Amino acid sequence: MSQFDKIAGEIKLAHGGGGRLSRDLTALFAQVFDNPMLAPLADAAVFDLGGARVAFTTDSHVVSPLFFPGGDIGRLAVFGTCNDLAVMGARPLYLSCGMIIEEGFPAAELERVVGSLAQAAAEAGVTIVTGDTKVVQRGKGDGIFINTSGLGIIASGADLCGEEPCPGDSVLLSGTLGDHAAAIMTAREGLRFGGDLASDCACLADMLGGLLKACRGVKWMRDPTRGGLAASLNELVEGKSFGITLEEDALPVKPAVRSVCELLGFDPLHLANEGKAVIVTRSDEADHALKILRGHPLGRDAEIIGRVAEKPMGRVVLTTTIGGTRVVDMPAGELLPRIC
Amino acid sequence: MSQFDKIAGEIKLAHGGGGRLSRDLTALFAQVFDNPMLAPLADAAVFDLGGARVAFTTDSHVVSPLFFPGGDIGRLAVFGTCNDLAVMGARPLYLSCGMIIEEGFPAAELERVVGSLAQAAAEAGVTIVTGDTKVVQRGKGDGIFINTSGLGIIASGADLCGEEPCPGDSVLLSGTLGDHAAAIMTAREGLRFGGDLASDCACLADMLGGLLKACRGVKWMRDPTRGGLAASLNELVEGKSFGITLEEDALPVKPAVRSVCELLGFDPLHLANEGKAVIVTRSDEADHALKILRGHPLGRDAEIIGRVAEKPMGRVVLTTTIGGTRVVDMPAGELLPRIC
């Protein structure tokens, strides 16, 4: 039996949703491509190149709609790739930009997207050094898809500390949950929820670079995009001899995002973010790390949201406001297609 | 007036065809992204990174059909990106792999594609170190699109010599013209032309690496993909104070490819290749370079096809079999959509 039989016939939208099926598919690819650099399935590969410690990552962006409150596909493509480098402790330097454009895509929209890519690159301090453009027939694409791959350098003294997370460590979140997904959903459905629903789409490199320099006990970071915080933390604990306990009261969620979740039946823990980092640090540094994060414009709403626990091993649990606990599973099912 | 008004309303298939419109669009992007590394519009960006001379490139692959005589989208994606590095004098090392899959894509085809990517990477001696998978709804994609970005190292002593091409230099081609495009066209149209119509899809890194080590007078190389040899050479001479003269008799074209061209009205100079290099070298090294190429399995049909000439400046001309000359223009119009 082929491992691909697990896919059960054909690819479903959920294979791209960031939850369990996505994770299984990625693991399958890693098995076929079989190499130690891909195996950790981190946000970026890390290796030595000519004496430098380099991080390399790729992301294709298929977000729909292309323009939404707080951002657009161009900003998402640049910042998303920068963030994948930044959470590995790298300073983003160079990006590639591969566009797949559908025949008939309006020149005016292309101009907006390309201008936005350039503007975002300037803001993030990265250079788009190489590119490629393909055009597919009408009905064989959807406006524009953008792949950005990125290269960054990991400087010693501003990197992750190299230790594995262990019980007692603190878990921090750099800001409110779910803003990006809520903005996309409401833009897509044409809903209105007051003024503050906007994507959090932002480049984390400056804030995380500052954090790593100031706090030498940072062990692990991720930007919780597809699948949200639940997916990122489940990936961390899977198969490990520790678990994570979150405090529901400590989770920052904007009222408007909470309303969207209640109305549409979503859990903020499952919603994609595009300008947030979840961080595991030695507990004796947690308060200092929180202060550093809150001192940055992108980290004003940062919180210590939980801790690494001895058990339940391999699980993420939430201590609820009323004092109960519930398991936070890896999201399953379709979630939100084309959120990024 | 915006520069994007040149696009005249909307993107056409020809904007991805490798000819004049592609070139104009790419130049427009380079203008917006505005930086010295992107400006040369070479096959890969070259820069220093931590003491190493690095080449970085990206290519999205949207070929249709996915499987064709001589290759498939997986081999094309790996070798195409390796070739973009190799023609810049780099040894390809690391690839990323970003897939955009259409909902409903059969698991069995995905298994073939992923297996082919892995096999091609092993053959090319590169490692796929990072990846990303997105899924789009049925009718918003076309099976699978694959972006591969690549990183390579340029070693001193095995690099291009750093001199600009000048009149008197020789132009070499590593093998027959148009095999890839002819194979795709016939696979697409369901035509049959005897047994030897197959894509030339191959990794040029080993052959070109050997050439650069043996011949220190190699000035310029390209792999003539979309737009064919005509596009690559026109890009070289555009705005320069030299031209190129090709000898029609010296151009290697397989009889079956010539038949396809005659039947369908194509010029072999405009057809995409996926395992060929065009090379400009000092003329005193041309014979030695030819010998090196022919000594490699991928270069058995190599020829010296022309020379860099003083005039006509900025033009490519062909001396025909019957002794006349004709201008070889940058291809215009649609050519072949989704050839790679």
Side-chain angles (χ1 to χ4, degrees):
Chain A
M1 179 184 141
S2 155
Q3 293 290 314
F4 279 74
D5 290 344
K6 283 184 195 160
I7 299 174
E10 59 179 41
I11 290 292
K12 295 161 200 65
L13 279 173
H15 282 111
R20 173 61 56 196
L21 285 182
S22 284
R23 180 75 184 167
D24 289 350
L25 184 62
T26 309
L28 200 52
F29 291 162
Q31 202 174 316
V32 178
F33 294 148
D34 185 28
N35 69 74
M37 275 179 283
L38 190 61
L41 295 178
D43 281 355
V46 172
F47 46 85
D48 290 313
L49 194 71
R53 195 86 185 133
V54 169
F56 180 32
T57 191
T58 191
D59 248 323
S60 296
H61 301 270
V62 300
V63 66
S64 171
L66 298 175
F67 306 95
F68 46 82
D72 58 68
I73 190 171
R75 294 181 76 76
L76 207 59
V78 169
F79 296 154
T81 293
C82 288
N83 290 347
D84 283 346
L85 297 172
V87 295
M88 300 303 288
R91 186 161 68 91
L93 291 174
Y94 299 113
L95 296 192
S96 66
C97 175
M99 304 190 207
I100 299 175
I101 310 178
E102 185 188 9
E103 180 188 11
F105 188 61
E109 287 194 30
L110 183 61
E111 182 171 18
R112 269 180 80 186
V113 168
V114 174
S116 173
L117 283 161
Q119 169 69 26
E123 288 176 27
V126 295
T127 312
I128 297 172
V129 293
T130 185
D132 175 61
T133 307
K134 295 292 191 300
V135 180
V136 296
Q137 301 93 330
R138 232 176 269 266
K140 301 293 184 184
D142 193 18
I144 188 168
F145 302 145
I146 301 178
N147 177 284
T148 38
S149 300
L151 269 184
I153 289 273
I154 299 175
S156 129
D159 50 354
L160 296 161
C161 74
E163 289 166 33
E164 285 292 303
C166 67
D169 288 345
S170 299
V171 181
L172 284 78
L173 182 67
S174 70
T176 53
L177 280 177
D179 302 56
H180 176 71
I184 295 286
M185 278 192 284
T186 51
R188 211 179 269 172
E189 308 290 337
L191 303 172
R192 290 204 147 280
F193 285 87
D196 65 345
L197 261 186
S199 169
D200 53 340
C201 182
C203 178
L204 298 167
D206 183 62
M207 179 174 72
L208 298 183
L211 175 69
L212 289 172
K213 263 184 216 155
C215 298
R216 301 300 301 135
V218 176
K219 298 183 171 183
W220 180 90
M221 304 196 292
R222 282 292 180 279
D223 62 326
T225 57
R226 282 182 291 174
L229 187 66
S232 293
L233 291 180
N234 271 288
E235 285 174 15
L236 171 59
V237 300
E238 200 170 48
K240 299 287 169 55
S241 57
F242 57 81
I244 283 176
T245 304
L246 299 176
E247 301 295 329
E248 187 171 35
D249 281 347
L251 293 175
V253 182
K254 286 186 177 145
V257 173
R258 204 175 287 284
S259 301
V260 172
C261 283
E262 281 165 10
L263 186 77
L264 301 177
F266 284 101
D267 182 342
L269 289 165
H270 290 177
L271 294 191
N273 311 277
E274 289 292 343
K276 299 292 152 51
V278 51
I279 297 152
V280 174
T281 183
R282 276 199 331 248
S283 61
D284 60 357
E285 272 200 337
D287 289 332
H288 185 46
L290 186 65
K291 199 178 148 200
I292 300 282
L293 291 174
R294 287 186 176 169
H296 193 280
L298 294 177
R300 277 191 304 254
D301 298 323
E303 295 286 354
I304 299 173
I305 59 168
R307 61 192 172 78
V308 179
E310 275 186 30
K311 47 188 181 177
M313 271 172 25
R315 304 307 294 264
V316 180
V317 296
L318 183 76
T319 304
T320 63
T321 305
I322 55 167
T325 62
R326 73 167 172 95
V327 171
V328 177
D329 266 326
M330 178 70 100
E334 282 203 15
L335 295 171
L336 295 161
R338 301 182 57 188
I339 198 76
C340 62
Chain B
M1 178 183 141
S2 155
Q3 293 291 314
F4 279 73
D5 290 345
K6 283 185 196 159
I7 298 174
E10 59 179 40
I11 289 293
K12 294 161 201 64
L13 280 173
H15 283 110
R20 173 61 56 197
L21 285 182
S22 286
R23 181 75 184 168
D24 289 350
L25 184 61
T26 310
L28 201 51
F29 292 162
Q31 203 174 315
V32 178
F33 295 147
D34 184 28
N35 69 73
M37 276 179 283
L38 190 61
L41 294 177
D43 282 355
V46 172
F47 46 84
D48 290 313
L49 194 71
R53 194 88 184 130
V54 168
F56 180 33
T57 191
T58 192
D59 248 323
S60 296
H61 301 270
V62 300
V63 67
S64 171
L66 297 175
F67 306 94
F68 46 82
D72 57 68
I73 191 171
R75 295 181 74 76
L76 207 59
V78 169
F79 295 154
T81 292
C82 288
N83 291 347
D84 283 347
L85 297 172
V87 295
M88 300 304 288
R91 185 162 68 91
L93 291 174
Y94 300 113
L95 296 194
S96 67
C97 176
M99 303 190 209
I100 299 173
I101 310 178
E102 186 189 6
E103 179 188 12
F105 188 60
E109 288 195 31
L110 183 61
E111 182 171 19
R112 272 180 79 186
V113 169
V114 174
S116 173
L117 283 161
Q119 169 69 26
E123 288 176 29
V126 296
T127 312
I128 297 172
V129 293
T130 185
D132 174 62
T133 307
K134 295 292 190 302
V135 180
V136 296
Q137 301 93 331
R138 233 176 269 266
K140 301 293 185 184
D142 194 17
I144 188 167
F145 302 145
I146 302 178
N147 177 284
T148 39
S149 300
L151 269 185
I153 288 272
I154 299 175
S156 131
D159 50 353
L160 295 161
C161 73
E163 290 168 32
E164 284 291 303
C166 67
D169 288 344
S170 299
V171 181
L172 284 78
L173 182 67
S174 70
T176 53
L177 281 176
D179 302 54
H180 176 70
I184 295 287
M185 277 192 285
T186 52
R188 212 179 269 172
E189 308 290 336
L191 303 172
R192 291 203 146 282
F193 284 86
D196 65 343
L197 260 185
S199 170
D200 53 339
C201 183
C203 178
L204 297 167
D206 183 61
M207 180 174 73
L208 298 182
L211 175 71
L212 289 173
K213 264 184 214 153
C215 297
R216 301 299 301 135
V218 177
K219 299 183 171 183
W220 180 90
M221 304 196 291
R222 282 292 180 279
D223 63 325
T225 57
R226 282 182 290 174
L229 187 66
S232 293
L233 291 180
N234 270 289
E235 286 174 15
L236 171 60
V237 301
E238 200 170 49
K240 299 286 168 56
S241 58
F242 57 81
I244 283 175
T245 304
L246 299 175
E247 301 296 328
E248 187 171 36
D249 282 347
L251 293 174
V253 182
K254 286 186 177 146
V257 173
R258 204 176 287 284
S259 301
V260 171
C261 283
E262 282 165 10
L263 187 76
L264 301 178
F266 284 102
D267 182 340
L269 288 165
H270 289 177
L271 294 190
N273 311 276
E274 289 292 342
K276 299 294 152 51
V278 52
I279 297 151
V280 173
T281 184
R282 276 199 332 247
S283 62
D284 60 358
E285 271 199 338
D287 289 332
H288 184 48
L290 186 65
K291 201 179 146 198
I292 300 282
L293 291 173
R294 287 186 175 168
H296 193 280
L298 293 177
R300 277 191 304 253
D301 299 323
E303 295 287 353
I304 299 173
I305 59 167
R307 60 193 173 77
V308 179
E310 278 187 26
K311 50 190 181 178
M313 272 171 27
R315 304 308 294 262
V316 180
V317 296
L318 183 77
T319 305
T320 62
T321 306
I322 54 165
T325 61
R326 71 166 173 96
V327 171
V328 177
D329 267 326
M330 178 69 102
E334 283 203 15
L335 295 170
L336 295 161
R338 301 181 58 188
I339 198 75
C340 61

